[in-house]
Amino acid sequence: EPEVTQTPSHQVTQMGQEVILRCVPISNHLYFYWYRQILGQKVEFLVSFYNNEISEKSEIFDDQFSVERPDGSNFTLKIRSTKLEDSAMYFCASIQTETQYFGPGTRLLVL
Amino acid sequence: KQEVTQIPAALSVPEGENLVLNCSFTDSAIYNLQWFRQDPGKGLTSLLLIQSSQREQTSGRLNASLDKSSGRSTLYIAASQPGDSATYLCAVQVTGGGNKLTFGTGTQLKVEL
C-alpha cells in the first residue's frame, strides 16, 4: 500500500541553524501539508500546498518557514533559523480526495 | 475558530470490554471528521472518515458516529484488545476552511490483559 515517507526520522540541531525536513507524498496525491506536534500538545496545522503554491498557512508559519516541491516527488519544509520552541514532531500529509495520509514524522530537537 | 475537545483524556480498560471515545467540536459547519490512531513516537494512522452528510462509518471492530448539529462524534471500539492501546485523535475539516484538519487533544487508551 502506498505511504507517505519522511526523512530524517530524527534531527538534532543548534539554535539558529537551518534545517530541511523532507517528505515524499503518495504519488498521485494533489494536496500536501505540514503539521507539527509539540510534546504533549495537539497536532497543529502549519501549511497546505497545492499546484506548486501555498494554499493556506497558519499563524505559526512565519517568515522563518518555507515549503518547496523541488521535483515531482519531494516536498520539503525549511526552517531558516531554528529556535528552541521549534522542537517538535513534524508530520507531512497528503490527500487525493478526502482522507489525509500522514507520514511517520521527523522529530526535531533544537538545542 | 474551531475548537476540538476529546474526553476522556485517558482510559484504561480490561481486555474484551466495549468502549466509547468522545469528540466534540464548536463549529458545526464541518466538511468531514476523521479519527486517527497514534502509537507512541509514531505517525498518525487514519481509522475512519465520516462525511458531514453521514451519520456513521464502520471498519471492523470500530464504529464512528457523527451528530453534526450537536457538534459531537463518538468512536466505539468493540471487544477491545491490548493491541488497541494507543492515543486516538479526532480531527475536523471545516467547510470553506481549505483542507486543513483541526485536531483534538486525544484520548490515551490502555487495554490491559
Side-chain angles (χ1 to χ4, degrees), chain A residues 31 33 35 37 41-45 48 56 89 91 95 97-105 107, chain B residues 3-4 31-32 34 36 38 41-44 46 49 51 89 93 97-101 103-105:
Chain A
Y31 288 84
Y33 307 83
Y35 293 82
Q37 186 178 33
Q41 297 186 22
K42 291 185 181 185
V43 176
E44 302 173 287
F45 167 78
S48 59
E56 188 175 0
M89 185 77 122
F91 294 108
I95 183 174
T97 52
E98 286 164 345
T99 300
Q100 289 198 19
Y101 294 90
F102 281 72
R107 184 168 295 282
Chain B
E3 296 286 341
V4 181
Y31 185 66
N32 61 47
Q34 204 166 344
F36 292 89
Q38 184 176 28
K42 306 284 185 177
L44 309 177
S46 179
L49 180 144
Q51 297 277 11
L89 303 173
Q93 183 179 325
N99 290 318
K100 70 179 181 190
L101 294 176
F103 281 84
T105 44

Side-chain angles (χ1 to χ4, degrees), chain A residues 82-99:
Chain A
T82 50
K83 304 177 189 131
L84 296 176
E85 55 264 36
D86 293 328
S87 295
M89 185 77 122
Y90 288 80
F91 294 108
C92 172
S94 69
I95 183 174
Q96 185 183 32
T97 52
E98 286 164 345
T99 300

Side-chain angles (χ1 to χ4, degrees), chain B residues 37-58:
Chain B
R37 169 186 173 136
Q38 184 176 28
D39 292 283
K42 306 284 185 177
L44 309 177
T45 301
S46 179
L47 298 173
L48 289 164
L49 180 144
I50 312 178
Q51 297 277 11
S52 62
S53 58
Q54 297 175 319
R55 295 299 298 252
E56 63 180 293
Q57 280 286 343
T58 298

Side-chain angles (χ1 to χ4, degrees), chain B residues 8-85:
Chain B
L11 183 62
S12 182
V13 299
E15 183 180 12
E17 193 160 299
N18 302 325
L19 56 101
V20 174
L21 308 181
N22 297 290
C23 171
S24 60
F25 45 93
T26 53
D27 184 350
S28 62
I30 64 167
Y31 185 66
N32 61 47
L33 183 146
Q34 204 166 344
W35 281 93
F36 292 89
R37 169 186 173 136
Q38 184 176 28
D39 292 283
K42 306 284 185 177
L44 309 177
T45 301
S46 179
L47 298 173
L48 289 164
L49 180 144
I50 312 178
Q51 297 277 11
S52 62
S53 58
Q54 297 175 319
R55 295 299 298 252
E56 63 180 293
Q57 280 286 343
T58 298
S59 176
R61 295 183 293 108
L62 305 179
N63 176 276
S65 67
L66 175 63
D67 184 344
K68 205 172 70 159
S69 61
S70 67
R72 293 181 184 178
S73 176
T74 61
L75 179 67
Y76 175 83
I77 303 177
S80 58
Q81 303 170 357
D84 295 330
S85 298

Side-chain angles (χ1 to χ4, degrees), chain A residues 21-37:
Chain A
L21 310 183
R22 291 182 168 80
C23 169
V24 179
I26 296 173
S27 64
N28 61 347
H29 286 190
L30 302 175
Y31 288 84
F32 314 112
Y33 307 83
W34 285 101
Y35 293 82
R36 79 171 186 190
Q37 186 178 33

Side-chain angles (χ1 to χ4, degrees), chain A residues 20 22-23 49 52 67-77:
Chain A
I20 297 176
R22 291 182 168 80
C23 169
F49 192 85
N52 283 321
V67 289
E68 194 176 40
R69 188 155 162 84
D71 53 42
S73 59
N74 290 285
F75 179 50
T76 62
L77 173 69

